Amino acid sequence: MPKTDWYKDLVFYQIWPRSFCDGDGDGIGDLTGVLGKLDYIRSLGVNALWFSPLYPSPQDDYGYDIADYCAINPEYGTLAQFQEVLEKAHALGMKVIMDLVLNHTSNQHAWFLESLHLDSPKADWYIWRRGTDKKPPNNWTSTFPGPGWEKRERYNADGSVSSDAWYYLHLFAVEQPDLNHDCPALREALKDVQRFWLDMGVDGFREDVITYISKKEGLPNGFPLMPAGRGMEHFSQGPNLRKYLAEYRTVVDEYDAMTVGEAPGMTPQNALRYIDQNAPVLDLMFHFQHMTADCIGLAWVKTRFSLRKLKKVFNAWQQALRGRAWNTLYLENHDQPRVLSRFGCTDTEELRVASGKALAAAYLLQQGTPFIYQGQEIGMTNLPPLALEEYPDVVTHNTYDLFRSLGFSHKRTMAHAAYAARDNARSPVQWSSAPNAGFTTAEKPWFMVNPNYKTINVANALADPNGLPQWYKQVLALRSVRTLFRDGTYRDLCPRSQTLYMYTRELPGEQSCLVVISFSKKVTQIQLPKAIAARGVQLVLDSTNNAVDATAPPTHERNLTLKPYQVQVYFYQ
Ligand code: NOJ
């Protein structure tokens, strides 16, 4: 089947199943819960779903530690229930992609257990090396701070314990051994996994840390001063990455399916090595550069939010990929603290909603395929500060240990955690002001509900005609009816401003669009560019009033007074 670029017309909604909606009352989100909410998701103007891992898993990394690639976690439901969700989503006009973790499995996966036996055909399916009793094979560390190698007994053909000091590599949690993609039989097995889901009818995959699957031969030591993810220069975008991706792509191509690869550390120039439309091995890539607009590298190393920094990254990607590859557009996912608590403003309820609308307009009207994370559309915020033991995520704990070992006090480290913990994105979706935010009928959900749920919830937000979901619907509706937003050029008109984001989309033969967004907490006066105002501008969306009269005649007025975080979207000839 010929490869088409239908992924360019999608708008994704990401479901992190454990916290989305509990349908069977056990306190854990599940597929019954999802089924009941598909109409709601579709009503936002979304036409694709990305499921974070639904597979059986001991949940050491909440599903990213897969114990069986071809089944559904019983806590979430059954394969039959997944098929029902898939069919209903398709019937509603939504594509569905699965999260596929190819870099590693759970240490409970049957493959890993078999690889403990030195005579097993799967003995080299993982990255096993000999060390000494006290010393691992090299100095690599996990990207989840902590050691990168774990010592583990392996067995000889006669069942006796091998006398060698065997270690396996884990670039993530200790329970997540890395797979050895250099082994052809493993690659075949992973292709079968892809076929399993594609045969069932899924439309593609989000490929977890896919840029880490090829490690440099000989596993040389990494740069010694790197505290976490040491060795990255040898395992990120390794020597055979393109080759292996090309091989995996032959499978998805047979089904006209799509792939979006997660790519930490990716620059636009390097991305083109994988997603250039002339020789793609992936359709899309998630990079992380814009998520450093408030930090150095990671949200744990916080700086003040800089709109200029954010726009610089947006602009670089829009320019570099134009006509050559396709962008992903996102501000949130299950690994990022809530964006409103980072790039927005939560000082008052009014500013929360206003800045939520500003952030939505800042990314949804760019060129690319947008992704919305569950709860983002109602402006969910970070959790209040918790005690260390209240955070479920292994990364929060490992990063805590790292900060303490670097000399940070407990108090200071906990302040960093409150801002940066991934747990912030993983509290249950707030559906209503009912107990536990209507997420579950159980007495206790698996993880705490944000105490602000009585104010911030889907029911309240939907009841407000000027609410956030209504704004998402309007912006997405505007986007979907104009080829301008798919194909038009993008230009940032004031890249240096720290309080104003103003960009255009233009396409010959169509009306152009000017997006004006204040990122200020104060009322501001601005001027529209002379050349655009001269052509006459017509207001089509205004975040302070979701019911704009789009039939009003164009004006030539240049002076504009913007309320805090106000958005105005104009068309011009
Ligand atoms: C990236 C995923 O998004 C994250 O949640 C996970 O912990 C790591 N990869 C390891 O699979």
Side-chain angles (χ1 to χ4, degrees):
M1 225 184 284
K3 183 84 188 169
T4 57
D5 57 2
W6 48 264
Y7 57 84
K8 291 185 179 173
D9 295 310
L10 299 183
V11 178
F12 275 91
Y13 189 89
Q14 182 194 349
I15 294 181
W16 196 75
R18 205 167 187 80
S19 286
F20 182 67
C21 182
D22 175 18
D24 67 3
D26 65 354
I28 297 172
D30 53 37
L31 289 168
T32 308
V34 172
L35 196 63
K37 298 295 183 189
L38 288 180
D39 291 303
Y40 162 72
I41 298 175
R42 182 72 177 112
S43 77
L44 296 169
V46 159
N47 58 4
L49 296 175
W50 151 25
F51 279 104
S52 275
L54 290 166
Y55 315 92
S57 154
Q59 304 290 317
D60 291 307
D61 187 20
Y62 292 104
Y64 286 89
D65 48 325
I66 298 175
D68 180 351
Y69 282 108
C70 298
I72 296 288
N73 175 2
E75 289 175 318
Y76 298 160
T78 60
L79 259 182
Q81 281 174 312
F82 175 73
Q83 274 164 312
E84 200 183 337
V85 168
L86 184 62
E87 272 162 34
K88 180 160 181 206
H90 281 163
L92 288 170
M94 292 192 280
K95 302 276 189 191
V96 175
I97 67 169
M98 295 293 270
D99 217 307
L100 194 60
V101 187
L102 297 179
N103 182 69
H104 46 267
T105 66
S106 159
N107 60 357
Q108 302 303 309
H109 196 293
W111 295 349
F112 183 74
L113 300 176
E114 282 177 57
S115 84
L116 297 176
H117 298 275
L118 291 160
D119 64 335
S120 154
K122 297 191 177 66
D124 62 350
W125 281 28
Y126 292 81
I127 304 184
W128 289 104
R129 292 289 184 278
R130 290 180 186 84
T132 65
D133 265 353
K134 297 228 169 67
K135 221 169 156 225
N138 71 15
N139 73 354
W140 293 10
T141 57
S142 166
T143 60
F144 287 1
W149 294 92
E150 179 72 2
K151 192 152 164 274
R152 175 88 193 237
E153 276 180 1
R154 296 183 84 191
Y155 309 100
N156 299 315
D158 63 3
S160 61
V161 174
S162 160
S163 57
D164 290 329
W166 284 105
Y167 288 78
Y168 67 84
L169 177 71
H170 62 92
L171 294 179
F172 296 91
V174 63
E175 299 87 355
Q176 290 170 297
D178 277 51
L179 286 163
N180 175 18
H181 287 251
D182 295 334
C183 168
L186 169 78
R187 298 205 297 278
E188 286 310 315
L190 293 175
K191 285 191 243 171
D192 285 344
V193 168
Q194 298 181 38
R195 288 191 191 99
F196 176 86
W197 294 104
L198 293 167
D199 282 339
M200 195 176 296
V202 311
D203 302 289
F205 302 107
R206 177 265 187 191
E207 300 186 354
D208 190 68
V209 290
I210 197 67
T211 45
Y212 288 1
I213 60 172
S214 167
K215 280 86 176 169
K216 187 162 181 183
E217 214 188 312
L219 310 184
N221 278 333
F223 179 61
L225 296 181
M226 187 89 170
R230 187 185 304 142
M232 179 125 3
E233 65 277 35
H234 304 306
F235 64 73
S236 181
Q237 298 181 61
N240 291 313
L241 177 60
R242 236 198 96 87
K243 179 175 158 214
Y244 297 157
L245 286 177
E247 204 176 308
Y248 296 139
R249 187 182 175 88
T250 58
V251 178
V252 288
D253 273 352
E254 287 164 26
Y255 296 80
D256 187 28
M258 63 157 282
T259 52
V260 48
E262 189 199 23
M266 190 54 65
T267 62
Q269 289 67 33
N270 284 345
L272 287 168
R273 303 220 295 255
Y274 312 98
I275 59 173
D276 190 314
Q277 284 161 3
N278 288 323
V281 288
L282 291 167
D283 293 308
L284 298 168
M285 252 184 178
F286 285 127
H287 71 85
F288 290 73
Q289 291 191 313
H290 62 303
M291 298 317 294
T292 62
D294 65 342
C295 59
I296 300 166
L298 282 179
W300 280 82
V301 192
K302 184 183 166 347
T303 56
R304 187 198 280 266
F305 166 65
S306 162
L307 176 65
R308 195 188 299 168
K309 209 170 156 192
L310 181 70
K311 292 186 293 187
K312 197 172 169 198
V313 178
F314 282 164
N315 299 346
W317 282 84
Q318 288 288 308
Q319 274 150 27
L321 267 51
R322 172 135 192 99
R324 296 187 66 184
W326 200 246
N327 267 293
T328 54
L329 311 171
Y330 79 92
L331 291 175
E332 282 198 9
N333 60 39
H334 63 292
D335 293 332
Q336 299 289 340
R338 292 287 181 180
V339 73
L340 270 179
S341 305
R342 302 177 64 179
F343 305 172
C345 177
T346 55
D347 293 359
T348 64
E349 183 50 18
E350 216 180 349
L351 288 171
R352 179 186 69 82
V353 174
S355 64
K357 291 182 178 182
L359 286 162
Y363 86 107
L364 290 174
L365 295 174
Q366 291 184 35
Q367 185 171 45
T369 295
F371 290 74
I372 299 166
Y373 178 64
Q374 64 187 36
Q376 180 188 333
E377 78 281 12
I378 58 162
M380 281 178 64
T381 62
N382 276 0
L383 294 166
L386 305 180
L388 182 61
E389 47 300 346
E390 291 175 293
Y391 288 108
D393 182 17
V394 54
V395 176
T396 308
H397 293 265
N398 289 11
T399 314
Y400 173 89
D401 292 343
L402 174 68
F403 268 58
R404 296 288 279 138
S405 74
L406 294 173
F408 287 79
S409 68
H410 170 76
K411 202 169 154 208
R412 181 97 190 272
T413 308
M414 292 315 294
H416 284 272
Y419 185 78
R422 307 195 299 181
D423 309 87
N424 283 305
R426 300 175 175 193
S427 67
V429 171
Q430 297 159 209
W431 293 102
S432 71
S433 52
N436 291 320
F439 162 74
T440 179
T441 53
E443 212 167 291
K444 217 170 166 269
W446 79 276
F447 181 38
M448 70 177 283
V449 171
N450 193 317
N452 65 19
Y453 76 91
K454 292 230 157 98
T455 317
I456 305 177
N457 63 60
V458 174
N460 275 354
L462 286 178
D464 178 359
N466 281 325
L468 256 176
Q470 186 58 23
W471 177 250
Y472 270 86
K473 288 181 196 183
Q474 286 186 296
V475 174
L476 293 178
L478 184 74
R479 214 191 117 89
S480 69
V481 294
R482 303 254 172 177
T483 35
L484 166 73
F485 292 109
R486 181 188 143 123
D487 296 331
T489 57
Y490 160 95
R491 194 155 72 92
D492 177 359
L493 301 181
C494 51
R496 300 196 55 75
S497 172
Q498 281 287 28
T499 52
L500 182 65
Y501 184 23
M502 189 153 63
Y503 65 95
T504 57
R505 303 293 313 273
E506 294 191 350
L507 188 66
E510 276 207 38
Q511 271 188 317
S512 303
C513 179
L514 170 67
V515 185
V516 181
I517 310 168
S518 165
F519 271 83
S520 173
K521 287 192 211 178
K522 299 195 194 116
V523 174
T524 47
Q525 315 283 338
I526 65 145
Q527 281 208 317
L528 296 187
K530 212 177 191 169
I532 292 180
R535 289 153 77 175
V537 294
Q538 187 183 16
L539 185 66
V540 289
L541 283 183
D542 184 331
S543 63
T544 62
N545 169 16
N546 282 3
V548 158
D549 174 13
T551 59
T555 80
H556 297 276
E557 181 58 51
R558 281 190 72 194
N559 295 318
L560 217 62
T561 303
L562 292 175
K563 294 196 179 126
Y565 291 98
Q566 186 172 356
V567 182
Q568 295 202 326
V569 181
Y570 294 93
F571 280 146
Y572 58 96
Q573 284 301 336

